[in-house]
Amino acid sequence: MNNQTIVQRDLSVLWHPCSQMKDYDPRSTDPDALTLIPIKSGQGVWLEDFDGNRYLDAISSWWVNLFGHANPIINQALKAQLETLEHVILGGFTHQAAVELAEKLVEITPDGLNKCFYADNGSSAIEVALKMSFHYWRNLGQTQKTKFITLENSYHGETLGALAVGNVALYKETYAPLLMDVISVPSPDCFFRDADESWEAYSIRRFADMEQTLARHAESVCAVIVEPLVQCAGNMRMYNPVYLQMLRAACDKYQVHLIADEIAVGFGRSGTLFACEQAAISPDFMCLSKGLTGGYLPLSAVMTTDSVYQAFYDDYQNLTAFLHSHSYTGNALGCRAALATIEIFQTQHVLERNRQLALAMAKATERFKEHPHVAEVRQTGMIVAIELVKNKQTREAFPWQQRRGLKVYRYALSRGVLLRPLGNVIYFMPPYVITEQEIQLMADVAWQGIQLAVQD
Ligand SMILES: *Cc1c(COP(=O)(O)O)cnc(C)c1O
């Protein structure tokens, strides 16, 4: 046993995700060097390190935490579950929490999503949806359907299938030789609308590309996959619900599935419980993870329809069953945390309170719009993004090597706020238990961080 506290140890034994480890080398003399921050505990929106410094978790720990760290309701539910059943094989066996959660998810997701399939992280949910869609058509004898349509600037995770249908070069480029071919269509990303054009008009205009692509390729296409309303990892770019309405109609017309990746925008983040609600549509597959367990445990679910389920329901010898399994499928602790999370939504008027918080975030970031290095401040529900540029008029970007966003990150940490900009896009995606005062703090720190970051 090593009794040294984490702070005294060599931390490089642990290879961190989404990180150039050299940035964190304690011997580094690079002015851009960073230090790993060992966290001792969390409470509500606050994280605390071993020196007693506190950090406001303005990004919900990679968008997963909804109701704060150490939430008493989720803690209580997990303690009880732990004393009863921690996990059991989901092949041939079942359990209370998994069934209850499946029922709940059927109840709260859009109409027609009557079946729930579990996996254990977001990327795996995407793999499930892709395989299930392909396999559905195959079971129907439509073996020519092997392709997927995806939007430019989309992100669906980093396992190979998920990476293939994603589109952010930073994650994808290196692995391109390993990835299946997909058909990509320009994104309705409203950052590129004309100055006097509404989000709605631009989203409608952009749909022409999708319509054309479907008309041309539908024969060979299993599904279109989209992130409803916000392309989160793609710099928090946003579009109007009308695009989803048009997409739903076109997918029906051309006999192609619609996969809604609500992994980031689901569970209230977009302002409604699910983003698809704003377009009043039901997808054929809805992928859920991140907020599903309130940020407690890795779990994901793919919701789908009776007709998809029925296409797999057959005699054993016909080999039409869906074979996709993870050891931890339907983990009991994960399911219990998810049930407690949904209970909070159903008992605490969360969406109403979020509307107030979203207004407070809009108010606190109003002045950023006039900043000489801010091209746009955009918002969908509980997500606000501030796009830093070198030149406000031409929207010319800062060269990426200058790592302006990183300067904001570093400054914010020194002020006790965890922001984690995506390149030069500073965004807020806080837990729903944040107060209006804390929103003001978050915005003030971001403002001062930006002032510092845009110098010279
Ligand atoms: C995070 C994310 C994923 C991947 O989920 P992981 O649990 O990180 O694998 C997929 N899609 C979207 C939209 C995401 O934001």
Side-chain angles (χ1 to χ4, degrees), residues 281-336:
I281 60 147
S282 294
D284 299 289
F285 299 92
M286 182 182 270
C287 299
L288 302 171
S289 190
K290 290 208 164 98
L292 172 62
T293 62
Y296 266 68
L297 285 152
L299 179 73
S300 60
V302 178
M303 306 304 295
T304 191
T305 61
D306 290 328
S307 95
V308 168
Y309 180 86
Q310 282 305 325
F312 292 82
Y313 184 92
D314 198 356
D315 292 328
Y316 182 83
Q317 57 270 27
N318 293 341
L319 302 175
T320 49
F322 186 58
L323 297 184
H324 182 104
S325 43
H326 296 289
S327 317
Y328 283 96
T329 298
N331 174 260
L333 293 167
C335 290
R336 189 53 69 191

Side-chain angles (χ1 to χ4, degrees), residues 3-11 37-40 50:
N3 286 325
Q4 285 177 318
T5 70
I6 176 174
V7 193
Q8 296 161 307
R9 294 187 189 185
D10 172 10
L11 298 179
I37 300 174
I39 290 300
K40 185 171 145 198
F50 286 78

